[in-house]
Amino acid sequence: QVQLVESGGGLVQPGGSLRLSCAASGTIFSINAMGWHRQAPGKERELLATITSGGIMNYADSVKGRFTISRDNAKNTMSLQMNNLKPADTAVYYCTAAIKKYSVSYYTTYWGQGTQVTVSS
């Protein structure tokens, strides 16, 4: 089995920072692209940032310049550093990873369970 677990969410004041982490575990042969999404109440899920196994990063315009995605391929982990947070960033944040397990020839996208981020004074 493969599992993604997020951590690091919480309550922060506007202008503050949080760092989210995502750890992948299980029968993992390799991980391709990883990413962060979020979903606010009443809104569609939004793709925020992605990072390839080679370290190429892409960001949504809504977080560009404020959020930074990174990963540690040796540890199967990924992080999202979030700075200058705004109330509009309040949402449940999810990590995703395209993972190939041992003895299969294809990648499957896995999702974490989500972590709540609330930006409020």
Side-chain angles (χ1 to χ4, degrees), residues 35-114:
W36 289 96
H37 296 68
R38 70 185 178 191
Q39 187 165 23
K43 295 188 176 181
E44 293 187 354
R45 192 166 291 185
E46 177 187 14
L47 173 61
L48 301 178
T50 60
I51 184 168
T52 67
S53 57
I56 297 173
M57 299 166 284
N58 281 287
Y59 297 94
D61 288 342
S62 59
V63 303
K64 197 174 294 183
R66 299 189 299 124
F67 291 9
T68 302
I69 191 172
S70 61
R71 65 188 283 177
D72 184 329
N73 291 333
K75 296 181 179 179
N76 290 338
T77 59
M78 174 179 62
S79 295
L80 185 69
Q81 177 66 40
M82 306 186 294
N83 298 327
N84 189 23
L85 283 162
K86 306 173 182 180
D89 295 317
T90 296
V92 178
Y93 285 68
Y94 300 88
C95 68
T96 61
I99 295 173
K100 184 162 69 174
K101 299 197 292 184
Y102 287 97
S103 74
V104 300
S105 60
Y106 52 86
Y107 286 87
T108 300
T109 298
Y110 291 85
W111 289 74
Q113 82 287 352

